[in-house]
Amino acid sequence: MSKGKFVPVFVLAVLVMGFGAVPGWPQKPDKRTPSQNPREKPLVVKSELRDAHKRWIANDVPYIITKAERLAFFALKTDEERENFIAIFWQNRDPNPDTEENEYREEYYERIAYANEHFTSGIPGWKTDRGRIYITWGKPDSVESRPSGGSYDRPSYEGGGSTSTYPFETWFYRHLDEVGDGIEIEFIDRTGSGEYSIARDADEKDALATTPGFRPRADREGNSFVREQDTPLSRLLRIQAFSIPPRVKFGDLERIASGSSGTIDNNPLDFDVRVDYFRQSDDRVIVAFSVQTDNKDLKFDPNGGIETAKLNIFGRIITVSGKRAGVFEDSVTTNATAADLTALRAGKSVYQKAIALTPGNYKADIVVRDVVTGNTGTHSLALDVPRYDNKKLSTSSLILASKLRSTTERDIGQHFIIGSAKVIPNLTGIFKQGQEVGVYMQVYNAGTDQTTLRPAVDVEYILTKSGKEVMRQAEDWSGLSDSGQRLTLARLFQTGQLQAGEYEIKIVTKDRVGGQAIENKGKFTITQ
């Protein structure tokens, strides 16, 4: 309400109060309905937003507040409610509530200060595209900066050839929650003013794109190869994902993972965890986390005629210095009809998440909760992510799989996909007699026989029981083998003729060109 309107109303109120109770003045009978008891009448008070609250919602947290939180905030009626809301907002994001400091909030405001200091151009740094990404997602793992633009040799996936570019930067994130792994973001300064904006196409940084004679990437040098992450759809989906505030779906599970929640559960949920490593590039390794539970430990509830068990899974990966390197969160359901429930209970449920990490030492905390019962379990494990020498024969982890097959179109975007194979590991290593035992492994930097143009690598599978050889078989490269610097070993071994007991399978890989040899071993048990 403006000042000009406020004074007359106030004066009118004084006049009414002054004349309404003059002694002896004849009063007309009041025929109005008696008013409600003030103590019983609901209090309706909605104060206007103070400047501090307006700044908080508009300037401080616009990138991280969710739609539901924003609606809830504007529905509040008093300043006290708003102050309580802000306190709860930060508490929900506090990675360690038992300490006085809120590390997330402190780091968040440090990001805003950094953005304003380094990304300000014609507008404040926090309002720029770089500022928005930095504030929301933190410091990138690496930055390629070309502040002057100029001469540029396009990589093959951009069509090859040479050109001249505007100033641009490429930010790389190993992992962004709910966005993906191996994320590249390109920012371009088309005006030379220092204001960089997100590029929706690799050609946007090309300063010659609007000149006569410019050739689209598909026509350059006869090269039309485009990385999947550079397709217009992928870029659009990433940009859309950047606009969605990051969220922790199971905040209580994150507090359990950080060790700040006290007692976990009186009825802990038991589960197995396995970690496997696969080379992605010279400086990145795919780390696959597999989580397996016994269905008999889960609570199945009827849901539309289907018996359903639901798990919430949270994983946190941190470096030795305590910096977060990756997080994964998922809801996993297991379904069965009432008729199949008994058989399902005798089986297991498996979940897998793959994250790209740089070689080094990490700590991983994984929490699993049964949604129905609330039973919760946790595992902490050390990770030694290997560094693969690009000139030395090496291998991935050896996986003994309960299911192993080539992928189909239906498998795109699903779990358990490694290269061109779907590999579901058997975390217990127990197989029933007659059940196939899948063996999967990748071989890197093997030589090539220049005469046959086939891998110059000899591979033998040796199966032993109690130290005695049961089977020996050579790899004939007729399975899922790849070409180039990665070879895939994928074999299914029959167990119908094997006696119950404990077995060890050894894979011996020998490079005939380099003379190097590697042995990988795995143990499993056959039951009747």
Side-chain angles (χ1 to χ4, degrees):
M1 183 177 292
S2 66
K3 184 175 181 181
K5 293 181 179 180
F6 182 79
V7 174
V9 173
F10 178 77
V11 173
L12 178 62
V14 173
L15 292 175
V16 172
M17 291 176 62
F19 287 97
V22 176
W25 193 276
Q27 304 290 323
K28 293 182 180 181
D30 190 353
K31 298 180 180 181
R32 294 175 298 177
T33 302
S35 61
Q36 185 177 358
N37 187 328
R39 295 185 179 181
E40 299 176 356
K41 185 177 182 179
L43 181 63
V44 179
V45 179
K46 185 169 184 178
S47 62
E48 296 294 329
L49 282 174
R50 293 184 347 193
D51 288 344
H53 295 148
K54 291 179 181 178
R55 287 195 300 269
W56 184 81
I57 196 73
N59 296 1
D60 287 17
V61 297
Y63 302 145
I64 63 171
I65 189 169
T66 65
K67 182 178 180 180
E69 288 174 325
R70 181 181 294 275
L71 292 174
F73 181 81
F74 282 110
L76 301 177
K77 298 178 179 180
T78 67
D79 286 343
E80 182 180 3
E81 290 177 344
R82 296 180 186 113
E83 292 296 334
N84 289 336
F85 177 95
I86 293 173
I88 294 172
F89 176 91
W90 292 118
Q91 288 173 8
N92 288 340
R93 290 159 172 81
D94 188 354
N96 193 353
D98 290 342
T99 61
E100 294 183 3
E101 299 81 10
N102 186 323
E103 295 83 358
Y104 178 89
R105 182 178 57 195
E106 292 179 1
E107 180 182 351
Y108 181 77
Y109 280 105
E110 288 175 0
R111 294 177 188 176
I112 294 178
Y114 183 93
N116 288 331
E117 181 179 352
H118 291 84
F119 305 141
T120 296
S121 52
I123 58 177
W126 72 270
K127 288 188 175 182
T128 65
D129 280 356
R130 287 187 301 173
R132 175 170 58 87
I133 297 299
Y134 188 93
I135 292 169
T136 307
W137 305 101
K139 182 180 179 181
D141 294 295
S142 65
V143 175
E144 178 189 353
S145 180
R146 293 177 177 262
S148 301
S151 179
Y152 176 67
D153 292 328
R154 303 186 191 93
S156 60
Y157 52 81
E158 290 183 6
S162 298
T163 188
S164 182
T165 69
Y166 299 112
F168 73 93
E169 289 185 358
T170 303
W171 291 13
F172 177 82
Y173 289 91
R174 287 194 301 267
H175 173 80
L176 292 180
D177 298 348
E178 302 193 33
V179 178
D181 299 318
I183 301 298
E184 287 185 2
I185 313 172
E186 204 167 57
F187 301 92
I188 302 170
D189 178 11
R190 299 178 183 83
T191 62
S193 63
E195 183 179 339
Y196 289 73
S197 57
I198 289 182
R200 287 165 171 76
D201 186 276
D203 283 340
E204 287 189 29
K205 63 177 175 289
D206 198 320
L208 305 180
T210 58
T211 60
F214 175 78
R215 291 183 298 166
R217 99 173 55 184
D219 296 337
R220 297 184 206 125
E221 310 298 329
N223 190 343
S224 59
F225 168 70
V226 179
R227 297 183 303 178
E228 191 280 333
Q229 67 188 49
D230 293 328
T231 62
L233 177 59
S234 293
R235 287 200 177 222
L236 180 62
L237 291 175
R238 281 201 303 275
I239 291 173
Q240 182 181 13
F242 294 148
S243 66
I244 300 174
R247 59 192 177 93
V248 176
K249 291 181 289 188
F250 316 124
D252 56 337
L253 297 191
E254 183 173 25
R255 288 189 283 273
I256 290 174
S258 65
S260 59
S261 65
T263 303
I264 294 178
D265 205 285
N266 292 328
N267 297 296
L269 179 66
D270 191 25
F271 63 93
D272 296 309
V273 179
R274 175 185 173 91
V275 182
D276 295 295
Y277 305 102
F278 302 90
R279 177 184 175 182
Q280 183 184 47
S281 63
D282 290 344
D283 60 348
R284 290 183 182 85
V285 177
I286 296 296
V287 182
F289 295 86
S290 300
V291 175
Q292 180 173 276
T293 60
D294 287 324
N295 290 338
K296 63 180 177 60
D297 296 332
L298 308 181
K299 174 64 174 177
F300 287 81
D301 271 359
N303 184 7
I306 302 296
E307 299 289 334
T308 302
K310 184 176 181 181
L311 296 175
N312 286 347
I313 299 177
F314 176 87
R316 183 188 66 163
I317 307 161
I318 59 175
T319 64
V320 291
S321 62
K323 181 180 178 181
R324 179 179 293 184
V327 170
F328 55 90
E329 310 167 67
D330 269 306
S331 291
V332 182
T333 58
T334 300
N335 302 313
T337 62
D340 297 334
L341 183 59
T342 301
L344 182 68
R345 285 187 180 279
K348 302 178 184 296
S349 294
V350 189
Y351 160 87
Q352 189 178 83
K353 178 67 176 181
I355 292 180
L357 297 174
T358 55
N361 296 316
Y362 301 83
K363 177 188 175 185
D365 299 295
I366 300 174
V367 183
V368 179
R369 169 172 293 169
D370 186 322
V371 174
V372 177
T373 64
N375 292 345
T376 305
T378 182
H379 275 288
S380 296
L381 55 155
L383 306 179
D384 185 9
V385 180
R387 181 176 298 278
Y388 289 102
D389 189 331
N390 60 5
K391 296 182 180 179
K392 183 179 179 181
L393 182 70
S394 55
T395 70
S396 70
S397 303
L398 168 62
I399 296 180
L400 299 182
S402 57
K403 292 184 179 180
L404 173 61
R405 61 171 173 79
S406 298
T407 56
T408 65
E409 291 183 357
R410 294 183 178 181
D411 296 319
I412 297 176
Q414 301 299 314
H415 296 294
F416 308 107
I417 304 303
I418 306 174
S420 59
K422 182 161 187 174
V423 187
I424 301 183
N426 185 326
L427 274 65
T428 62
I430 299 176
F431 296 82
K432 290 186 177 181
Q433 192 174 39
Q435 180 183 359
E436 293 178 323
V437 176
V439 176
Y440 182 91
M441 189 176 75
Q442 293 179 355
V443 180
Y444 311 117
N445 304 316
T448 301
D449 189 319
Q450 297 303 316
T451 302
T452 63
L453 298 180
R454 295 181 67 81
V457 177
D458 293 326
V459 175
E460 278 193 316
Y461 303 90
I462 304 171
L463 183 66
T464 60
K465 182 176 186 294
S466 301
K468 297 181 179 180
E469 185 174 315
V470 176
M471 179 216 54
R472 181 182 292 258
Q473 181 177 326
E475 174 61 54
D476 59 6
W477 304 113
S478 61
L480 291 165
S481 304
D482 303 318
S483 60
Q485 291 186 316
R486 183 184 69 183
L487 301 172
T488 298
L489 305 178
R491 283 285 175 266
L492 290 171
F493 292 96
Q494 305 300 323
T495 62
Q497 301 301 317
L498 296 180
Q499 298 179 353
E502 297 181 353
Y503 292 82
E504 179 182 81
I505 187 164
K506 180 169 64 176
I507 301 179
V508 181
T509 307
K510 296 181 180 179
D511 187 341
R512 296 196 304 270
V513 176
Q516 303 173 69
I518 298 178
E519 288 189 1
N520 298 83
K521 298 179 181 179
K523 294 183 178 180
F524 62 93
T525 301
I526 300 293
T527 61
Q528 292 182 341

